[in-house]
Amino acid sequence: MQSPSPDRLLVPLLSLGNFVIGMGAFVIVGLLEPLGADMGRSAASAGQLLTIYALAYAVLSPLMVALSGQVGRRRVLAAALGLFALAALLSALAPNFATLGLGRILAAAGAGIFTPVAAAVAAALFPEAQRARVLAAVFFGLTLSQVLGVPAGSWIAYSFGWRWAFALVFLLCLPCLWLTWVIVPAGLRFQPVSMADLRQTLAEGRMIFAILFTAAFLGAIYILYTYIAPLLSSGMGYGRDGITLVLLVFGLGAVCGNLLGGFLADRLGWRGTLVILCLSQMALMPLFSFLPMATLLLATLSFAWALFGWAFMPGQQMRLIGLAGPRAPVVLALNAAAIYLGAALGSALGGLIIAGFGIEAVGIAAGLGSAYALLHLLLSARLSPRGP
């Protein structure tokens, strides 16, 4: 029987692991300019590192979670963190852009295993009455990485060089790996996702279309978010401190958005919530194409953008769980992959927009992307009418 001590430490540990994963995944947003300058590439070209990571996550995560289903969960989590640490070290020491790309693929593989398996472990070890609260706590680390991890990485990159941001991620992985081996109970074996489940879900067109709304909504956001640092540098004349401040305000908005999303979904249902959030992004993101503006106004805009942008997940998850029935774990795993597919598509499209129209155009392009997301939502809701 499991001792009470690991229970008290397990959720904070898994949340801490997700914090490191989130920081390692998205720190690239805050260091595009110093990295690009060092590698002799434009910010738009350097931004494709996020595209590489996101595409790799979207492809590898469902497959690797399914294929590792028979391995003990402690070993899987430790191996995932070890792979993520190796990827961070490789990125810190990378002699060229191709090696950085390889590091991003390895990082995506590690993250794509750790985050869904951490959720499955938390769900398995706590009673159903506590499950929602426990899962929210486990995923809080990912949100917190937007508040602290990404701005900290940006400040380090501008102060000491971009390699030190990846080195910090590597160093943070090491205690997480050791604590995982010590705290996660040995012998946990369960398979929440199987290859057969994946095949059946992928063959259901209406379900996949509903899942892909996640990619559409976040893809629009990442057209702008991936290139926010060079946009602030160009449009506001910001350097290290200004960019770090905006990223910090954005992260605070993301945390509040998680809370707002649950509140809205409980009261308005998933359909009303998601329509409102699409409309808000259509209104807010084009304003970033009209920099410069007063610093207080920019901070308010950044907070509101993150608040409504990061409020969408509770409503979308409520919708998908209602559609999925007993296959909810499979569908949520694919939804996690869709998050990174959206990030990949958005960052790639943003790079094309910059190349064709200049960096000032990414705000307007992101607003148009949100209009597409709204159309996607309305059509997919019509095709899959079940749910509140």
Side-chain angles (χ1 to χ4, degrees):
M1 185 174 179
Q2 185 183 341
S3 65
S5 179
D7 276 359
R8 291 196 300 267
L9 296 173
L10 181 64
V11 171
L13 166 67
L14 297 178
S15 187
L16 177 62
N18 272 329
F19 173 84
V20 178
I21 292 290
M23 181 178 180
F26 296 111
V27 70
I28 197 75
V29 170
L31 49 84
L32 288 184
E33 285 198 309
L35 187 152
D38 187 46
M39 289 285 179
R41 289 177 173 263
S42 66
S45 177
Q48 300 312 303
L49 289 171
L50 182 58
T51 305
I52 293 170
Y53 177 94
L55 280 176
Y57 189 109
V59 172
L60 294 176
S61 179
L63 292 174
M64 296 187 74
V65 169
L67 291 172
S68 64
Q70 299 298 332
V71 182
R73 302 294 87 182
R74 181 175 69 168
R75 293 184 179 183
V76 170
L77 289 171
L81 283 172
L83 183 59
F84 200 80
L86 176 64
L89 182 61
L90 180 63
S91 298
L93 301 175
N96 51 50
F97 198 77
T99 306
L100 267 174
L102 176 60
R104 293 287 79 198
I105 293 172
L106 293 177
I113 299 171
F114 183 88
T115 297
V117 171
V121 167
L125 292 182
F126 288 85
E128 187 172 356
Q130 301 178 30
R131 199 162 293 161
R133 177 173 56 84
V134 167
L135 287 174
V138 169
F139 281 105
F140 180 72
L142 285 174
T143 305
L144 190 62
S145 71
Q146 300 284 339
V147 181
L148 299 178
V150 174
S154 174
W155 190 88
I156 290 170
Y158 279 89
S159 298
F160 306 107
W162 62 269
R163 295 180 187 275
W164 286 103
F166 284 114
L168 176 61
V169 174
F170 169 74
L171 292 174
L172 290 174
C173 281
L174 298 183
C176 287
L177 199 163
W178 177 75
L179 289 170
T180 295
W181 194 258
V182 170
I183 293 171
V184 176
L188 288 178
R189 295 179 183 275
F190 49 88
Q191 189 171 2
V193 179
S194 69
M195 293 302 295
D197 292 329
L198 281 173
R199 286 193 296 268
Q200 291 171 9
T201 304
L202 290 171
E204 189 175 336
R206 291 190 302 175
M207 179 65 75
I208 294 301
F209 196 46
I211 293 170
L212 286 176
F213 169 71
T214 295
F217 185 88
L218 287 179
I221 289 176
Y222 275 89
I223 291 173
L224 174 59
Y225 181 59
T226 303
Y227 303 100
I228 191 65
L231 177 62
L232 293 173
S233 177
S234 171
M236 297 292 293
Y238 282 174
R240 178 195 68 187
D241 294 342
I243 292 171
T244 300
L245 176 63
V246 171
L247 289 174
L248 179 61
V249 170
F250 182 93
L252 290 171
V255 171
C256 296
N258 277 345
L259 301 174
L260 176 66
F263 176 85
L264 290 176
D266 284 340
R267 284 153 182 79
L268 302 178
W270 64 261
R271 193 187 308 260
T273 298
L274 296 178
V275 167
I276 288 172
L277 297 182
C278 285
L279 292 172
S280 72
Q281 295 300 289
M282 291 168 58
L284 292 170
M285 290 196 291
L287 298 178
F288 283 91
S289 286
F290 298 96
L291 300 180
M293 62 179 65
T295 298
L296 181 59
L297 180 59
L298 175 62
T300 303
L301 174 61
S302 300
F303 183 87
W305 171 37
L307 178 72
F308 290 106
W310 260 246
F312 102 105
M313 188 56 76
Q316 174 70 342
Q317 286 186 326
M318 177 189 294
R319 173 195 188 193
L320 294 178
I321 289 170
L323 290 171
R327 282 190 288 166
V330 182
V331 171
L332 292 179
L334 289 171
N335 187 56
I339 293 172
Y340 288 92
L341 177 61
L345 294 174
S347 57
L349 183 56
L352 293 175
I353 295 296
I354 292 171
F357 302 98
I359 196 165
E360 297 81 8
V362 292
I364 292 174
L368 293 174
S370 290
Y372 166 77
L374 177 60
L375 292 175
H376 187 131
L377 170 66
L378 296 175
L379 180 56
S380 63
R382 186 181 182 89
L383 293 175
S384 302
R386 284 181 289 163

